[in-house]
Amino acid sequence: MGRITSFADLIGKIKDKASQSKAAFVSSNTRSKTLSFHLSVLRATTHDPSTPPGNRHLAVLLSAGTGSRATAASAVESIMDRLHTTGDACVALKSLIIVHHIVKHGRFILQDQLSVFPASGGRNYLKLSGFRDEKSPLMWELSSWVRWYALYLEHLLSTSRIMGFFISSTSSTIHKDEYEEMVSSLTNSDLLREMDALVGLLEESCKIPDLPFSGGKSLADKITHLVGEDYVSSINELYTRLNEFKERSNSLSFGDTVELVCALKRLESCKERLSKICCGNWKRGWIDGFWGLVLEVKGILGNLEDTTNYGQIEKSIVGFGMREKRYESARFTDRLVIGYGDAVRFSSGRFSNVDRFSVPAGFF
């Protein structure tokens, strides 16, 4: 626990102690799994701004994915109730970090409960655009992180729904050949829709607030690390789709070409800001390969001037503007994850010449 620096910190520690003691007493007498998860949530989401959720408590919550659907639902309910009933910025940020961990490391049954909670009506979203904690200058600064992080996770969930799987999830078991076949089966409009969602997610990550001046650096660093991993996963997905567009470049319609060029321009506008999210020289060297592909695809489209009038494409982008964001709320009425077999399929032999962007071993 961090050092007590103000009366508000003291009150927060007293609240943590009281709520955890009460939950521990009730849980020991009832042996309820729901109360056990509730206790783990309380211990992982203390009012202390100096510590992110502990790995031990995160592991307990992720273990809900090994049980029944009811067990997973009770764990998610405990997390969401904590998120939506607190007025403390530290508690809210830690609750959102837990949600992010479920997206990344949770098993499907747990991820699925997150995507559909609750079954009908009620609070089935992370949107906290009006969140304000005015107890101290630090809480005021962290409130901006809560508002941004909740919106970012909404984008992550919405993008995952469009893609058909959870972005950057470590539980994915799809093989390379099956994945490439799935991408090759998509229509141009489907590929553009997925690219629009992925680029939109990267645009949202670029809005990450500056590090808090008054403290809370460990929380901000934890969130930045998680978002940085999402960035790597997103460009990996974009790489595969850009390679597919490279193969289809000669058959793209004028409208599809305009949309693709527009998406590439939006993507390039994120490059500088994104470089600050994902640090490390060797990682940046790997990511440079992706940005090289972006330039290559732009060059291919530029070389189509004789057949598609690239000058008209550039003019059309001005009128076309940025496509209207069609991010849906995380208030999902359907299952977030769909099967790859649901994609439209058509014959393609191109992937014998296309290598998927390879993530370095041990990257995550």
Side-chain angles (χ1 to χ4, degrees), residues 4-39:
I4 296 176
T5 58
S6 68
F7 182 70
D9 289 341
L10 177 61
I11 295 299
K13 293 181 187 298
I14 292 174
K15 286 183 177 180
D16 290 335
K17 188 67 174 179
S19 59
Q20 291 175 29
S21 297
K22 179 181 177 181
F25 175 77
V26 175
S27 179
S28 64
N29 283 276
T30 62
R31 299 185 183 277
S32 167
K33 284 188 177 181
T34 299
L35 290 174
S36 176
F37 289 133
H38 179 60
L39 179 58

Side-chain angles (χ1 to χ4, degrees), residues 101-119:
H101 268 273
I102 290 176
V103 173
K104 287 184 60 62
H105 304 296
R107 294 196 176 188
F108 169 76
I109 191 172
L110 190 59
Q111 294 172 330
D112 190 43
Q113 286 302 306
L114 176 64
S115 70
V116 299
F117 173 83

Side-chain angles (χ1 to χ4, degrees), residues 61 79 95 138 141 195 200 207 215 241 253 267 273 280 302 348:
L61 293 170
I79 298 165
S95 299
L138 173 58
E141 282 190 279
M195 279 200 61
K207 299 175 185 176
R241 284 151 183 79
S253 69
L267 188 58
R273 180 64 172 167
S348 174

Side-chain angles (χ1 to χ4, degrees), residues 55-278:
N55 291 333
R56 180 163 61 92
H57 305 310
L58 289 172
V60 171
L61 293 170
L62 291 177
S63 71
T66 63
S68 65
R69 188 170 297 277
T71 299
S74 66
V76 170
E77 183 177 7
S78 295
I79 298 165
M80 300 300 282
D81 282 350
R82 181 66 161 164
L83 173 64
H84 289 109
T85 57
T86 187
D88 186 271
C90 291
V91 173
L93 279 178
K94 293 179 184 183
S95 299
L96 292 170
I97 288 174
I98 295 174
V99 171
H100 206 162
H101 268 273
I102 290 176
V103 173
K104 287 184 60 62
H105 304 296
R107 294 196 176 188
F108 169 76
I109 191 172
L110 190 59
Q111 294 172 330
D112 190 43
Q113 286 302 306
L114 176 64
S115 70
V116 299
F117 173 83
S120 61
R123 301 163 306 195
N124 184 27
Y125 57 93
L126 302 176
K127 189 175 182 180
L128 296 169
S129 59
F131 187 92
R132 298 288 190 280
D133 184 350
E134 302 177 357
K135 291 192 298 291
S136 68
L138 173 58
M139 294 301 104
W140 181 256
E141 282 190 279
L142 292 181
S143 292
S144 66
W145 277 80
V146 172
R147 295 191 295 272
W148 167 79
Y149 197 23
L151 183 59
Y152 171 80
L153 290 177
E154 280 241 320
H155 277 75
L156 180 62
L157 288 169
S158 184
T159 300
S160 296
R161 183 181 186 186
I162 291 171
M163 299 294 294
F165 55 90
F166 288 90
I167 302 297
S168 85
S169 172
T170 57
S171 63
S172 176
T173 58
I174 188 168
H175 297 294
K176 177 182 176 182
D177 292 343
E178 181 183 354
Y179 177 83
E180 292 178 341
E181 183 181 358
M182 182 275 294
V183 173
S184 72
S185 73
L186 297 175
T187 63
N188 289 343
S189 60
D190 286 336
L191 282 173
L192 287 168
R193 182 169 180 258
E194 291 183 351
M195 279 200 61
D196 180 62
L198 288 166
V199 173
L201 179 62
L202 293 180
E203 287 176 326
E204 189 59 40
S205 67
C206 288
K207 299 175 185 176
I208 187 170
D210 294 330
L211 287 175
F213 178 76
S214 306
K217 186 176 183 297
S218 61
L219 285 177
D221 286 345
K222 180 66 174 180
I223 294 168
T224 302
H225 177 74
L226 290 170
V227 173
E229 290 181 340
D230 291 343
Y231 163 44
V232 174
S233 297
S234 295
I235 65 172
N236 197 39
E237 300 299 334
L238 284 166
Y239 186 95
T240 305
R241 284 151 183 79
L242 285 176
N243 260 327
E244 179 64 20
F245 271 124
K246 186 170 69 172
E247 295 295 325
R248 301 184 188 184
S249 59
N250 290 324
S251 61
L252 292 177
S253 69
F254 179 80
D256 289 343
T257 305
V258 169
E259 289 197 44
L260 181 54
V261 172
C262 185
L264 293 175
K265 285 182 174 292
R266 289 168 54 201
L267 188 58
E268 285 189 312
S269 69
C270 299
K271 182 177 179 180
E272 182 177 354
R273 180 64 172 167
L274 288 173
S275 67
K276 300 177 181 179
I277 295 176
C278 189

